[in-house]
Amino acid sequence: MKKIINDPKHVVDESVAGFGLAHADLVRIETDPIHVVRADAPVAGKVGLVSGGGSGHEPLHAGFVGPGMLDAAVPGAVFTSPTPDPILAATKAVDGGKGVLHIVKNYTGDVLNFETAADLAAADDIQVRAVVTNDDVAVKDSLYTAGRRGVGGTVLVEKIAGAAAERGDTLDEVAEIAERVNANARSMGMALTPCIVPHAGEPSFTLAEDEVEIGIGIHGEPGRERIKLEPADAIVDRLIGPIIEDLPYSSGDRVLLFVNGMGGTPQIELYIAYRRAAAVLAERGITIERSLVGNYITSLEMQGFSITLLKLDDEMVGLWDAPVHTAALRWGR
């Protein structure tokens, strides 16, 4: 295993410390228990947004803390949910008097620990709502989850709900828009290679040199099928076809197309994938109104990518375009 680390036991602590030093204008780091908080939190009169989960998916979630998006992020160990204590601490840290929304990816540990933290927050008279993202169409029930996994759509939920909170919406209103985004988002991913979790020291799964995994999860969970390597256009077709059919998306729909790298895939390949996905959508009469391309929800150094489609309405477009200033997303300010 070759990684730019010191001790595998300290990877998350040292990475979060470095993140805080690099982005001290945006965030502050709390270490006991560990969580990342927007520098000016709590913002009085604003709904607070908290998300989190296992580390290894950077920039998710700490990279999305800042004006227009999350108020706090709670990093667990690599691919391991944070415990309720830091989630509760983050919830308290961002409570500006209007309640707190938890945005939770649908993995069993995350769901249970965020639920426990919400119960503890309620005992302290903090109103908490939770939205669970489950946009992955590849598999139902997996190593980490009951039901569908929360993947790339989580980024879109955090941005759009964050903008709604920033404009002054109530907790119920922010939760409603978050639920609407999740309900209209669908994703599917693939892997060319596995990744190596630092404390494990070996690949999370094995693939032959001429094999790829279709429908992979962000923790290296198995997908729908293992196939021989195909040209990029054929791989995109394998992903976007099931995505379109699942909602379904149809002629006349307006969408945001998100092509996400899994950590080890260069931009040149992501844009090849975007090109084919855009062509498929055009053939079906689906209009791309907004786009996002890059590494935003990753799986350490895994080579591969995912596609997410979000069916848009006018309000979502306005909230997507609203100003945001985080380490990983920033425009309009």
Side-chain angles (χ1 to χ4, degrees):
M1 178 181 73
K2 292 194 292 187
K3 288 182 177 289
I4 304 171
I5 63 174
N6 295 306
D7 186 329
K9 295 191 294 292
H10 301 310
V11 165
V12 173
D13 290 346
E14 291 181 354
S15 178
V16 171
F19 179 84
L21 292 169
H23 302 290
D25 58 324
L26 294 174
V27 302
R28 66 178 189 266
I29 307 299
E30 302 293 345
T31 58
D32 188 22
I34 190 168
H35 54 288
V36 179
V37 185
R38 177 172 158 171
D40 58 352
V43 180
K46 188 186 87 68
V47 172
L49 266 66
V50 177
S51 193
S55 296
H57 306 303
E58 290 74 21
L60 198 82
H61 295 275
F64 301 129
V65 173
M69 215 160 170
L70 296 177
D71 293 272
V74 188
V78 174
F79 294 177
T80 303
S81 172
T83 60
D85 285 350
I87 301 170
L88 175 61
T91 302
K92 290 181 176 179
V94 305
D95 177 31
K98 295 295 184 179
V100 176
L101 180 69
H102 287 172
I103 299 174
V104 188
K105 300 186 301 300
N106 187 34
Y107 297 96
T108 302
D110 289 350
V111 171
L112 292 175
N113 288 335
F114 271 88
E115 284 179 350
T116 299
D119 290 342
L120 295 170
D124 288 332
D125 296 321
I126 300 173
Q127 186 180 7
V128 177
R129 290 281 304 273
V131 172
V132 177
T133 62
N134 59 353
D135 52 298
D136 181 43
V137 306
V139 296
K140 182 179 180 182
D141 301 331
S142 68
L143 180 63
Y144 288 81
T145 185
R148 290 183 165 185
R149 304 174 289 209
V151 287
T154 309
V155 177
L156 312 185
V157 170
E158 291 178 357
K159 169 62 184 82
I160 292 173
E166 204 75 38
R167 75 180 177 185
D169 286 17
T170 66
L171 179 58
D172 285 345
E173 290 167 339
V174 176
E176 186 278 327
I177 189 70
E179 294 279 14
R180 193 183 345 147
V181 173
N182 181 63
N184 285 279
R186 298 291 188 275
S187 302
M188 191 166 168
M190 61 80 62
L192 295 171
T193 66
C195 60
I196 298 175
V197 176
H199 62 261
E202 58 186 27
S204 53
F205 58 96
T206 58
L207 280 174
E209 281 297 312
D210 62 345
E211 288 182 329
V212 299
E213 185 85 15
I214 301 295
I216 198 75
I218 57 172
H219 306 94
E221 310 99 303
R224 283 188 170 190
E225 57 182 337
R226 186 164 295 186
I227 64 169
K228 297 296 184 182
L229 179 62
E230 297 177 328
D233 287 1
I235 293 173
V236 169
D237 291 351
R238 286 183 181 272
L239 300 182
I240 201 166
I243 290 171
I244 291 171
E245 293 162 8
D246 193 87
L247 190 60
Y249 301 84
S250 56
S251 180
D253 283 348
R254 309 150 59 196
V255 299
L256 185 157
L257 171 58
F258 174 24
V259 175
N260 171 71
M262 299 304 291
T265 306
Q267 290 271 354
I268 193 169
E269 295 177 19
L270 297 181
Y271 282 112
I272 290 171
Y274 184 95
R275 162 196 152 276
R276 176 58 184 170
V280 172
L281 294 173
E283 290 167 2
R284 294 177 179 245
I286 299 169
T287 301
I288 301 170
E289 289 203 359
R290 296 294 184 271
S291 60
L292 186 65
V293 181
N295 290 282
Y296 292 103
I297 173 170
T298 63
S299 186
L300 294 171
E301 77 279 22
M302 183 185 288
Q303 293 180 357
F305 72 100
S306 61
I307 296 173
T308 299
L309 283 184
L310 171 62
K311 184 176 179 179
L312 294 168
D313 57 37
D314 288 342
E315 183 179 27
M316 287 186 202
V317 172
L319 292 170
W320 178 259
D321 290 345
V324 60
H325 192 78
T326 69
L329 280 185
R330 54 180 70 187
W331 57 71
R333 284 174 64 93

